[in-house]
Amino acid sequence: MGRLALAVSAALTLTAVCTAVPATAEPRGGPTPLGIANCTANACHFDVLPGTYDVRLVLGGDTASSTAVTGETRRALLPETAVPAGERVTRGFTVDVRTPEGEPTGAEGTAGLDLTFAGTAPALAVIRVTPARHAHRLLLIGDSTVCDQPGDPYAGWGQELPQFLREGVAVANHADSGESTVTYLGNPLLWATVQARVRPGDPVLIQLAHNDKTTDEVTYRANLETLVAGVREKGGRPVLVTPIVRRWFNADGTLDNGTALLVNGLGVDHPAVIRSVAADRDVPLIDLTARSKALVESLGVEGSKALYLYNEKRDNTHTSVHGATVYAELVRDELVTRHLVPKGMVRVG
């Protein structure tokens, strides 16, 4: 996992100002407190078992600072936070630690919890990691537009979503690149693993469509209904999410075509089927297709390039970090509107 360099002042803050705050839990194999002693100048490693953990930080130093936190496989956990010189602010987030730490069919990653500090002038004064006893949890099922992408310039909206949630809500992102409803249900590393993790009351967001290119409508609908029923069987709360649009413009500046709106070669209108299943099965719906369409069309042909990897890869399907962050904000808004996450547990602005 990459390490971002910090300013010299941040390193001085860590060595001269920081004090360890004892944690209430012990890491695997030892009683060392889970605090600043687990950190270097630009990163922290906590040798904890898979689970859900609260992370509480005190940011700031003698000079003005600005700190952002990422963790595990490039997950955005805390947005860049500015602190005036000589002041301190407390922030927190809740993180899902699992193996593999990113995509379920990808590399295992590093055992335990890894955090990296970035921003224009990072300064960490105190950190404490404790098991999350009563955290809410969002589980995500999806494809490459949702998953924890392992490398730049790619990013999924599920990877950027945690930074918009406060301490007390964790995102367990089980999205995986290249998956359709058929392959997700058929791979024990995917659906069977997610279903086993669902607890009563957990919202489970389901966005699968981009790779159902050869799935007929009857099968696609049945697969969505299987996922919905399986979540409910465990006491979870299924939430159907229509896919983000592809950036594929008509000459008139609209996205009113099958490529952009995820209609496959068999004529299956994926968003329409998802909306229908949501209505028939009384499932909450996040219409990310409609919201992303409106946004991309409003930005226009040139302005919308930054949301995707057009400039880097001539890719009109996969999103940049910026685009994934923008789409994660749309999901954040829908989570609040549909009462899937308490309003007080989201970050706004």
Side-chain angles (χ1 to χ4, degrees):
M1 174 177 313
R3 299 291 187 243
L4 301 177
L6 295 182
V8 173
S9 61
L12 291 174
T13 299
L14 280 170
T15 57
V17 178
C18 298
T19 57
V21 176
T24 59
E26 297 179 359
R28 68 173 104 196
T32 305
L34 299 180
I36 205 73
N38 298 84
C39 303
T40 62
N42 66 336
C44 300
H45 173 75
F46 302 95
D47 190 21
V48 296
L49 295 169
T52 308
Y53 294 87
D54 289 329
V55 180
R56 183 69 60 87
L57 313 97
V58 178
L59 304 175
D62 294 336
T63 59
S65 64
S66 188
T67 309
V69 183
T70 58
E72 300 296 86
T73 303
R74 302 176 59 237
R75 295 181 219 163
L77 298 172
L78 187 73
E80 189 158 353
T81 302
V83 183
E87 296 187 16
R88 303 286 190 276
V89 299
T90 300
R91 294 290 185 270
F93 54 83
T94 300
V95 60
D96 177 66
V97 177
R98 61 184 182 271
T99 302
E101 67 180 36
E103 294 180 90
T105 63
E108 287 196 0
T110 305
L113 171 61
D114 286 281
L115 303 176
T116 302
F117 301 92
T120 56
L124 172 68
V126 175
I127 186 168
R128 181 179 64 182
V129 176
T130 57
R133 302 299 185 188
H134 305 289
H136 298 267
R137 188 174 59 180
L138 295 171
L139 286 82
L140 307 183
I141 291 172
D143 52 34
S144 57
T145 65
V146 184
C147 75
D148 288 351
Q149 288 281 1
D152 286 325
Y154 295 89
W157 62 254
Q159 194 167 24
E160 301 300 319
L161 183 61
Q163 66 185 304
F164 297 111
L165 302 172
R166 298 184 185 276
E167 184 177 354
V169 183
V171 175
N173 190 355
H174 291 268
D176 196 71
S177 293
E179 306 298 342
S180 66
T181 58
V182 175
T183 61
Y184 204 96
L185 283 166
N187 190 333
L189 295 175
L190 299 172
W191 169 235
T193 298
V194 175
Q195 189 183 31
R197 292 197 70 191
V198 176
R199 303 176 307 195
D202 282 344
V204 182
L205 277 59
I206 302 165
Q207 186 212 279
L208 288 168
H210 278 276
N211 299 301
D212 279 279
K213 298 173 184 177
T214 60
T215 309
D216 63 77
E217 184 168 341
V218 171
T219 302
Y220 185 64
R221 178 182 294 271
N223 288 345
L224 292 175
E225 291 173 342
T226 295
L227 290 166
V228 166
V231 172
R232 284 178 166 164
E233 178 185 322
K234 303 291 285 188
R237 303 165 65 191
V239 181
L240 290 173
V241 184
T242 60
I244 62 170
V245 293
R246 294 191 181 99
R247 183 190 162 278
W248 197 266
F249 282 94
N250 297 326
D252 63 0
T254 69
L255 299 177
D256 295 321
N257 61 77
T259 299
L261 299 180
L262 283 295
V263 179
N264 75 9
L266 300 178
V268 180
D269 185 332
H270 294 100
V273 176
I274 295 169
R275 295 177 188 119
S276 175
V277 172
D280 292 347
R281 301 296 177 179
D282 193 25
V283 177
L285 173 73
I286 294 177
D287 199 340
L288 202 51
T289 304
R291 295 205 62 178
S292 59
K293 178 179 185 291
L295 174 63
V296 171
E297 288 180 341
S298 71
L299 291 172
V301 173
E302 290 301 317
S304 62
K305 287 179 178 178
L307 295 176
Y308 294 83
L309 295 176
Y310 180 84
N311 294 323
E312 299 87 349
K313 303 282 186 179
R314 294 297 187 267
D315 185 335
N316 293 305
T317 297
H318 297 97
T319 49
S320 62
V321 171
H322 168 66
T325 302
V326 170
Y327 288 144
E329 287 186 271
L330 297 182
V331 174
R332 183 268 319 269
D333 295 344
E334 292 288 330
L335 291 174
V336 174
T337 299
R338 304 192 182 287
H339 307 290
L340 296 166
V341 171
K343 186 176 182 180
M345 288 191 172
V346 300
R347 302 183 199 277
V348 179

